[in-house]
Amino acid sequence: MTTLADLVGQIGSGAVEVLDLTAPLSAATPILHLPEPFGNTISASLEPISDFDDDGPMWSWNNLHTGEHTGTHLDAPTHWITGRDGSSVDTIPPERLIGPAVVVDVVAEVEQNPDFLLEPEHLEAWQREHGPIPAGAWLILRTGWGARSRDAERFANADENGPHTPGPSVAAARWLAETSPITGFGVETVGIDAGSAAGFDPIFPAHYFLLGNDKYGLTQLQNVDKLPPRGAVLVVAPLPIVGGTGSPARVFALIERD
Ligand code: MN
């Protein structure tokens, strides 16, 4: 058990930092808004059951109302038509939820163009600089979008033509799903596809290809700017909602500090 004893010792000493990548979950947490005629998710909210009152003089507790896909959350394969026969969130093998994190930084590109699309060339350039993407990795697209997350309007960044947010092209979505050895794809934005992806062929290609290839999505990550390009370990903890197509998730990164 030396490995685990070392790990907890180094967490205790600060040599391994535990960084929380999760957005706070409240009624103010931004959510996806699909246009008519599609249905939409609800925001998260708390419904008091008792609060040290007649309904519970010594205790406070709440009912939690939330969508599966509210706030920082995991997309399971069954969320998409291509993965409908795959894993729901409760049947994902837990060992797949912990893996190496690699971070592809496109902050400068997104500052120039909020509709920036990640292409396979960017991923190949990352590998030339940092080495091969490790098996079982969580690949995180760093866009700087997390800085907008306290302002729902700036976070959505929508106009009459729809949302303007970055994400992968069709080719990059296929590359990640079919060529790379990743387990999941994480973003700072409200969903794993670009804001313009409703007009792609296929529509929403990150969902289409990743979830159809037994890979997972991870959204609305924060503190991504504090992650190294490689070397951190991601711990992703969605609730085992039986039959769930996704779940709000707590996401931690373990980072070695020297
Ligand atoms: Mn989702």
Side-chain angles (χ1 to χ4, degrees), residues 73 78 93 108 128 158 161 175 210 212 220 223-224 233 245:
H73 71 272
T78 54
R128 279 195 297 278
N161 299 315
W175 192 99
L210 286 159
Q220 280 174 261
N223 291 323
V224 166
V233 169
T245 69

Side-chain angles (χ1 to χ4, degrees), residues 143-151 154-155 188 221-225:
T143 57
W145 214 260
R148 298 171 177 245
S149 63
R150 313 269 164 171
D151 179 337
R154 284 192 75 228
F155 192 73
E188 296 176 75
L221 298 172
Q222 302 204 335
N223 291 323
V224 166
D225 56 318

Side-chain angles (χ1 to χ4, degrees), residues 69 73 75 79:
H69 298 259
H73 71 272
D75 288 345
H79 178 44

Side-chain angles (χ1 to χ4, degrees), residues 127-146:
Q127 292 200 113
R128 279 195 297 278
E129 186 177 353
H130 299 289
I133 295 168
W138 289 87
L139 188 141
I140 296 173
L141 183 62
R142 181 183 168 202
T143 57
W145 214 260

Side-chain angles (χ1 to χ4, degrees), residues 143-250:
T143 57
W145 214 260
R148 298 171 177 245
S149 63
R150 313 269 164 171
D151 179 337
E153 206 161 304
R154 284 192 75 228
F155 192 73
N157 201 37
D159 61 18
E160 64 278 8
N161 299 315
H164 297 279
T165 60
S169 70
V170 173
R174 284 197 83 145
W175 192 99
L176 289 168
E178 298 174 0
T179 305
S180 87
I182 65 168
T183 284
F185 175 59
V187 297
E188 296 176 75
T189 45
V190 75
I192 58 173
D193 267 295
S196 55
F200 294 180
D201 181 17
I203 62 169
F204 305 111
H207 288 83
Y208 188 92
F209 290 111
L210 286 159
L211 303 182
N213 278 279
D214 197 30
K215 295 181 175 181
Y216 315 126
L218 202 52
T219 70
Q220 280 174 261
L221 298 172
Q222 302 204 335
N223 291 323
V224 166
D225 56 318
K226 300 182 178 74
L227 290 172
R230 66 182 304 149
V233 169
L234 223 60
V235 180
V236 181
L239 297 174
I241 300 165
V242 175
T245 69
S247 168
R250 197 74 184 256

